[in-house]
Amino acid sequence: MPRIIPVLDLDRLEQGPSELRTFLFDLRTAARDVGFFYLSGHGITQPEIDAVLGAARRFFALPEPDKLGIEMVKSPQFRGYTRAGGELTRGKADWREQLDIGVERATIAQGPGVPAWTRLQGPNQWPTALPELKPALLAWQAKATDVAIRLLKAFALSLDQPEDAFDPIYRGEPNHRMKIVRYPGRDATGDDQGVGAHKDGGFLTLLLQDENKGLQVEYDGSWVDVDPIPRTLVVNIGELLELASNGYLRATVHRVVTPPAGVERISVPFFFSARLDATIPLLDLPEELAAEARGPASDPDNPLFRNVGTNVLKSRLRSHPDVARRHYADLLEKASAAG
């Protein structure tokens, strides 16, 4: 059976005009067909991969009080630790424990007329018991950002756009975010939902997996395993590229199935997005591509907005209701009154 999820080598970008054209075609095809691909040639070394996975394992091995000391509910920016079952996808608990971090920036002063999504900017929470975690995760964030920008420029070229077509909406202050995630075995959860079926909201997601499988992609009415391949990242497009391409590229539904009993799975997803204050443009696609654009997917339970900050805040409020109740009660009250 042929591999449904293709492997693309990023080094092909630098191997001359002919190979570049072929790579761009393969990239566009993979993103449109299945929406996922493995990426090799990304330039991140095996020691760097081992370092971030090792740091993640050491964090999850900390005593529970150390992890709960930086629990996400303490952060208006949705940063910090979430215990297994503490995040929801479509209203159902996800059986994974995780630490969310974003870009380290100063908070934005609040007042009349300041958009609610500005509250998302601010600091991360770090465990005092593991001081080496901060430099390890920030180093990974920097490496992943470089790869994501190279890929995003390639996506622009693949859609017959200038290489810098997306630069104005991420340059300076991209809103990237990452997690370290531990999926406990099914004996510890009693449920197979590691993460429920969903799409990602940013431009691109770059996922590092350990050796244990669990990720699945919805393809042609079935769930397809995205088993780990050493020294690769798994890449999928998010809803911002779907919006920008008028649905020519599609964000793909995916999920994670809980590992078997006695097995834990570690993953490190990195979500590269646009500036929170950006508005996603509609690209002027060439005629042959525009004719195949189907428009962005329409889900009344999960509407898409071209304002990035509005999209991100909507997603966070839905997935972490405890943080929403503590830090965004005013928005919940306003929504309840309007509805």
Side-chain angles (χ1 to χ4, degrees), residues 60-217:
F60 292 122
L62 289 175
E64 188 171 73
D66 288 330
K67 293 184 286 189
L68 292 177
I70 56 169
E71 197 170 13
M72 183 185 283
V73 74
K74 300 177 180 181
S75 167
Q77 290 79 36
F78 297 87
R79 318 282 179 83
Y81 174 72
T82 304
R83 68 178 85 198
E87 183 175 14
L88 305 179
T89 299
R90 301 191 178 187
K92 188 179 176 185
D94 293 326
W95 288 102
R96 59 179 179 174
E97 59 171 331
Q98 59 193 346
L99 177 69
D100 281 68
I101 74 162
V103 186
E104 291 272 5
R105 294 195 180 115
T107 55
I108 296 175
Q110 299 297 303
V114 177
W117 52 259
T118 59
R119 302 183 213 177
L120 295 169
Q121 180 168 306
N124 294 301
Q125 298 191 82
W126 300 102
T128 55
L130 194 64
E132 68 265 30
L133 186 69
K134 179 176 180 178
L137 296 195
L138 293 183
W140 182 262
Q141 201 175 61
K143 290 282 184 182
T145 297
D146 290 344
V147 176
I149 289 173
R150 290 182 69 198
L151 263 179
L152 194 59
K153 290 179 179 294
F155 266 111
L157 291 173
S158 79
L159 296 170
D160 203 22
Q161 307 296 308
E163 184 182 58
D164 61 356
F166 296 113
D167 285 22
I169 56 177
Y170 74 78
R171 183 188 291 143
E173 292 188 337
N175 175 47
H176 48 260
R177 184 172 59 88
M178 68 175 286
K179 301 173 183 273
I180 52 173
V181 186
R182 174 183 172 268
Y183 296 91
R186 202 159 305 177
D187 53 322
T189 68
D191 195 296
D192 66 356
Q193 177 168 308
V195 177
H198 67 285
K199 298 179 180 182
D200 291 342
F203 274 130
L204 297 167
T205 301
L206 277 60
L207 173 70
L208 173 64
Q209 308 186 81
D210 71 3
E211 67 279 8
N212 296 307
K213 65 182 184 179
L215 176 63
Q216 296 181 333
V217 173

Side-chain angles (χ1 to χ4, degrees), residues 42-53 140 208 230-232:
H42 44 67
I44 302 177
T45 67
Q46 190 62 45
E48 290 166 333
I49 289 172
D50 293 341
V52 73
L53 290 174
W140 182 262
L208 173 64
R231 296 180 297 282
T232 68

Side-chain angles (χ1 to χ4, degrees), residues 230-281:
R231 296 180 297 282
T232 68
L233 302 173
V234 176
V235 180
N236 64 283
I237 70 163
E239 291 170 329
L240 296 190
L241 275 180
E242 182 173 319
L243 280 170
S245 66
N246 196 32
Y248 179 85
L249 303 176
R250 286 276 184 160
T252 304
V253 174
H254 54 286
R255 69 183 185 185
V256 175
V257 177
T258 303
V263 175
E264 69 172 18
R265 176 177 181 267
I266 302 293
S267 70
V268 184
F270 173 82
F271 309 95
F272 186 78
S273 190
R275 296 162 54 106
L276 288 172
D277 62 356
T279 299
I280 301 305

